[in-house]
Amino acid sequence: MVATAAPVDSDFARRLPKIELHAHLTGSISRVCLHGIWKTRRAQEPGFDLQDPLVALPPAKVGFDIKTVFPWFSSYVYRLCNDLPSIVRSTRAVLQDFQDDGVVYLELRTTPRAIVDRGITKDQYVKTVLDILQEHNRDATNTMRVFLIISIDRRNTVSEAEEVVDLALKYQSAGVVGLDLCGDPARGDVHVFTAAFTRAKSAGLKITLHFAEIEASSTDKELQSLLSWKPDRLGHVIHVKKEFQERIEKGCIGLELCLSCNIHAKMITGTYADHHFGAWRRSPIPLALCTDDVGVFCSPLSQEYLLAATHFGLDRAQLKALAERAIPSIFGSPDEQSRLQTLFSQWTGSM
Ligand code: 6MZ
């Protein structure tokens, strides 16, 4: 009698070792964690008048679209997490959440943030986050390893972008592995960042870019410019015509694809089965399923794998093979790649 493999379920998806390559720190803070920070600050600070996050951002609300998601950060989370204890506490909680979900390798990304009225510089912000990442990696009982990608926001000025590159280079030996371009895709002119990304690349930083997120900014001019920076990975990759698909495949550029984010934020039309993951999964290039902003869209990475299995008919072995496909495109060292290869080859996890 031939044994049939058990179907993929949420338990299998959670136990499966997973690699997360596209997660914004501030967007990954759970509402429970935000609520905890809010309670502490309200108890400690007279006159603290920010609304409870569970009221401002009800747990059932995931339907932020690409226009309403950015104010979530600027008008709420950045105001709540605007002191060092909140940044420390939320960063620790984000790492714990990813690890509890079975993530074994995480590249977290964040935009250096100066909090002027608290006297916090961008350097201090990055250092604070990195200290938490290092603390996590030092603890041998942790099963996940974590590294940092620093983001340039599309709204940055040229000198702000150069400052971000300076910070990324300064902290390269402390765990910064790459540079990202993020932020509202309807804003900014990416061409002005060419010098910053070129300098970062030639200094040994890896590069990942938010790419073709909305139709309006997916012009030939913008996409050509972004590809001319020789990115190592691209995020989202939605409005891409054949010519650019071919260039991505030829360059073997790794992809970071975010199912729930693209559906909830209405960045694609249709449902999960219509997601461009369905086409890219047949391509030979490295590919990683990612959460983008799990605190916003409330779908942890294990859920993204379960969705892929459900809507694209993947069995346990295919889901494991999918999780492994991210390894060649990680920004961590060859040692880190070997660690992951060994981990996957030894993992049987009731296939
Ligand atoms: C583009 C995004 C994003 O950097 O403060 N960010 N940029 N597209 C997205 N997907 C829909 N989701 C988040 O994390 C929050 C910042 O990440 C960027 C935005 O610039 C947001 O302010 P950090 O840790």
Side-chain angles (χ1 to χ4, degrees):
M1 208 172 78
V2 181
T4 31
V8 173
D9 55 17
S10 54
D11 177 58
F12 177 83
R14 197 188 50 76
R15 285 185 296 105
L16 178 71
K18 292 173 291 296
I19 294 172
E20 169 66 83
L21 301 180
H22 188 131
H24 299 272
L25 170 55
T26 309
S28 301
I29 310 170
S30 73
R31 290 164 207 203
V32 170
C33 175
L34 293 175
H35 180 67
I37 292 171
W38 175 82
K39 265 185 20 194
T40 303
R41 294 198 59 182
R42 193 183 53 153
Q44 290 175 350
E45 298 173 35
F48 183 74
D49 62 355
L50 217 52
Q51 201 180 18
D52 182 344
L54 297 183
V55 176
L57 318 160
K61 180 168 166 47
V62 288
F64 292 91
D65 65 26
I66 192 71
K67 289 203 178 76
T68 54
V69 73
F70 296 102
W72 147 288
F73 301 110
S74 50
S75 64
Y76 193 87
V77 190
Y78 289 151
R79 290 175 64 205
L80 177 66
C81 298
N82 69 349
D83 61 358
L84 291 179
S86 306
I87 293 165
V88 167
R89 178 169 170 180
S90 56
T91 304
R92 282 203 183 110
V94 164
L95 299 187
Q96 193 64 50
D97 288 348
F98 276 112
Q99 179 163 282
D100 291 347
D101 191 42
V103 173
V104 291
Y105 178 91
L106 168 66
E107 285 175 13
L108 200 58
R109 60 185 73 188
T110 200
T111 321
R113 186 151 57 95
I115 307 166
V116 180
D117 51 349
R118 304 248 165 191
I120 300 169
T121 62
K122 290 184 183 179
D123 191 314
Q124 255 176 310
Y125 173 82
V126 172
K127 173 92 174 51
T128 303
V129 171
L130 270 172
D131 283 347
I132 304 302
L133 270 49
Q134 287 179 331
E135 168 192 281
H136 175 96
N137 287 342
R138 268 196 306 272
D139 183 342
T141 63
N142 282 324
T143 45
M144 179 182 82
R145 299 260 303 160
V146 54
F147 298 90
L148 192 66
I149 293 172
I150 305 208
S151 302
I152 291 177
D153 188 300
R154 293 174 65 109
R155 287 164 304 174
N156 283 165
T157 62
V158 170
S159 70
E160 284 168 337
E162 293 291 350
E163 190 187 352
V164 174
V165 176
D166 289 341
L167 285 171
L169 294 175
K170 175 174 176 185
Y171 290 112
Q172 225 173 339
S173 59
V176 174
V177 288
L179 191 68
D180 164 46
L181 179 71
C182 74
D184 186 345
R187 311 279 292 274
D189 173 8
V190 301
H191 304 95
V192 302
F193 302 129
T194 297
F197 277 92
T198 307
R199 180 162 73 95
K201 181 92 185 176
S202 50
L205 282 170
K206 300 279 191 178
I207 289 176
T208 177
L209 306 170
H210 283 66
F211 191 82
E213 273 189 283
I214 59 168
E215 209 156 1
S217 66
S218 302
T219 59
D220 286 4
K221 191 167 172 249
E222 168 154 333
L223 301 190
Q224 255 152 20
S225 219
L226 295 176
L227 288 180
S228 76
W229 303 347
K230 301 197 175 14
D232 301 280
R233 292 200 313 252
L234 298 171
H236 296 292
V237 195
I238 300 172
H239 303 280
V240 184
K241 60 186 188 188
K242 199 151 195 315
E243 170 198 338
F244 290 105
Q245 288 173 6
E246 285 168 2
R247 284 178 64 180
I248 291 167
E249 284 198 329
K250 198 155 169 249
C252 201
I253 304 175
L255 300 186
E256 306 154 357
L257 301 183
C258 310
L259 300 174
S260 292
C261 157
N262 295 168
I263 293 287
H264 291 312
K266 300 170 201 65
M267 294 159 77
I268 62 165
T269 48
T271 178
Y272 288 98
D274 304 306
H275 194 276
H276 45 293
F277 164 74
W280 282 113
R281 80 184 180 93
R282 311 226 174 259
S283 154
I285 60 179
L287 189 155
L289 288 184
C290 303
T291 53
D292 199 15
D293 295 299
V294 59
V296 179
F297 301 113
C298 301
S299 180
L301 193 56
S302 59
Q303 171 76 13
E304 297 297 290
Y305 274 86
L306 187 57
L307 286 166
T310 307
H311 294 281
F312 297 94
L314 307 184
D315 63 20
R316 291 185 173 210
Q318 287 170 316
L319 211 60
K320 183 186 172 203
L322 174 63
E324 284 187 77
R325 268 184 76 174
I327 299 177
S329 65
I330 67 165
F331 290 173
S333 66
D335 281 355
E336 205 47 52
Q337 288 199 345
S338 308
R339 178 184 79 90
L340 293 171
Q341 269 147 4
T342 309
L343 196 149
F344 275 99
S345 66
Q346 290 174 349
W347 192 79
T348 52
S350 44
M351 298 291 288

